[in-house]
Amino acid sequence: MTRTRLILLAAGGSFALLAGAFLFQALGWAPCKMCLWQRYPHGAAIGIGALALLGLGWRILPWLGGLAALTTAGIGMYHSGVEQKWWDGPASCTASGGALDGLSGASLLPGAAAEAPALVLCDTFTPFLFGLSMANWNTILSVGLVVLWLMAARRA
């Protein structure tokens, strides 16, 4: 497989994962804070892939794409551990506390709840497909994208 095709597959994979995340959000699956964190490296990988496919010729671009995919896989793995209660997550995103920080008295009045966004906790495991959460799937699929980026980086 050519370097260009590998880059296209890797960046396209990040695009597909990011598009899927936005689609499921539009369908009512509100993301937690850590879910949002996992999106940023995919966006970076898409941009890196676009630069590489434009023929800028920078040999470092596939390595950077691999680093972006590895970053989102790492965040996904951390998030998966938080969901399973293997380790603590951020206090502002878990049931351990901090979820009410920054709320004013007006936020607690009737009618304010209808305007407030849904609070989604990072440490709540929600099976999505085949008993795995979206964070689990992001980790697995992103590791596959790392492999594609590394294969592209090793191609001349």
Side-chain angles (χ1 to χ4, degrees):
M1 197 172 304
T2 67
R3 180 176 191 256
T4 301
R5 184 164 293 189
L6 289 166
I7 291 171
L8 187 60
L9 283 173
S14 280
F15 179 83
L17 287 170
L18 196 53
F22 283 117
L23 174 66
F24 288 115
Q25 183 176 348
L27 294 174
W29 290 61
C32 72
K33 184 184 293 189
M34 291 176 74
C35 293
L36 295 174
W37 293 349
Q38 293 171 72
R39 295 179 185 188
Y40 296 115
H42 282 301
I46 294 165
I48 290 165
L51 290 174
L53 292 173
L54 288 174
L56 293 180
W58 297 343
R59 293 192 49 83
I60 195 168
L61 289 175
W63 294 105
L64 293 175
L67 181 61
L70 185 62
T71 300
T72 192
I75 297 169
M77 187 176 297
Y78 174 62
H79 189 184
S80 295
V82 170
E83 288 177 338
Q84 295 297 324
K85 313 288 191 276
W86 294 338
W87 44 73
D88 292 333
S92 63
C93 190
T94 60
S96 63
L100 298 178
D101 287 353
L103 289 180
S104 67
S107 301
L108 303 174
L109 295 175
E115 299 169 8
L119 177 64
V120 179
L121 298 177
C122 299
D123 61 353
T124 302
F125 179 78
T126 306
F128 174 68
L129 181 65
F130 303 122
L132 299 175
S133 70
M134 286 189 186
N136 301 150
W137 282 112
N138 181 59
T139 302
I140 293 165
L141 296 172
S142 294
V143 167
L145 296 177
V146 170
V147 171
L148 290 174
W149 280 113
L150 293 179
M151 289 172 59
R154 295 177 51 104
R155 294 282 198 280

